């Protein structure tokens, strides 16, 4: 993924909007690293780490809105721009896991609150 994917503001939705869009058929793409996914993940989301997205995006449906997701919204913004460049209808979930939790979104996994390392990572997400 090139720096250009981070230079443009990706179309975005809030966590509350993402929940509504998922109910309407959108698909959440979690671009976090494996250990982050193992810790917790959104039920029904698809896990494709950011560095795998260019080669695995051909497996994604092209007839659904894709909502990219990470801890704080930075990695997923680049992912949304990349998917748009590849011809997908994609949006970034701004503030990612932070706002998903605040909005009361469901999570699978062991941690339902941000750990100190996760909170620190949210700025680099």
């Amino acid at each position: 993924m090139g720096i250009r994917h981070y230079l443009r503001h990706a179309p975005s939705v809030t966590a509350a909007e993402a929940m509504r869009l998922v109910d309407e058929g959108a698909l959440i793409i979690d671009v976090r690293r494996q250990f982050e996914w193992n810790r917790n993940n959104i039920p029904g989301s698809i896990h494709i780490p950011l560095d795998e997205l260019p080669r695995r995006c051909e497996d994604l449906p092209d007839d659904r809105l894709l909502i990219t997701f990470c801890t704080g919204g930075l990695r997923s913004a680049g992912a949304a721009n990349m998917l748009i460049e590849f011809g997908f209808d994609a949006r970034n979930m701004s503030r990612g896991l932070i706002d998903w939790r605040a909005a009361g979104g469901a999570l699978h996994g062991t941690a339902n609150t941000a750990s100190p390392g996760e909170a620190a990572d949210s700025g680099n997400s």
Side-chain angles (χ1 to χ4, degrees):
M1 171 145 49
I3 187 73
R4 74 180 186 280
H5 296 113
Y6 294 103
L7 296 177
R8 294 186 313 269
H9 180 69
S12 63
V13 296
T14 66
E17 290 168 328
M19 289 178 203
R20 179 184 54 79
L21 291 166
V22 166
D23 286 343
E24 295 172 3
L27 180 63
I28 293 180
I29 311 301
D30 188 327
V31 298
R32 298 176 302 152
R33 293 167 288 191
Q34 187 66 48
F35 79 90
E36 294 171 289
W37 168 264
N38 292 345
R39 185 170 35 214
N40 50 48
N41 56 77
I42 296 174
S45 64
I46 292 179
H47 181 231
I48 302 179
L50 183 59
D51 62 341
E52 296 177 18
L53 191 59
R55 72 177 180 278
R56 292 186 52 199
C57 69
E58 65 188 30
D59 298 329
L60 295 172
D62 59 5
D63 60 347
R64 293 172 72 181
L65 174 64
L66 304 179
I67 301 173
T68 57
F69 166 85
C70 67
T71 302
L74 182 61
R75 289 175 285 179
S76 57
N81 280 333
M82 180 190 305
L83 289 170
I84 290 167
E85 191 172 284
F86 290 155
F88 292 94
D89 184 10
R91 304 288 182 276
N92 174 43
M93 187 189 312
S94 57
R95 295 184 36 87
L97 184 64
I98 295 166
D99 277 2
W100 184 263
R101 284 186 174 134
L107 288 173
H108 285 148
T110 58
N112 201 23
T113 59
S115 68
E118 191 171 65
D121 181 45
S122 67
N124 298 323
S125 139

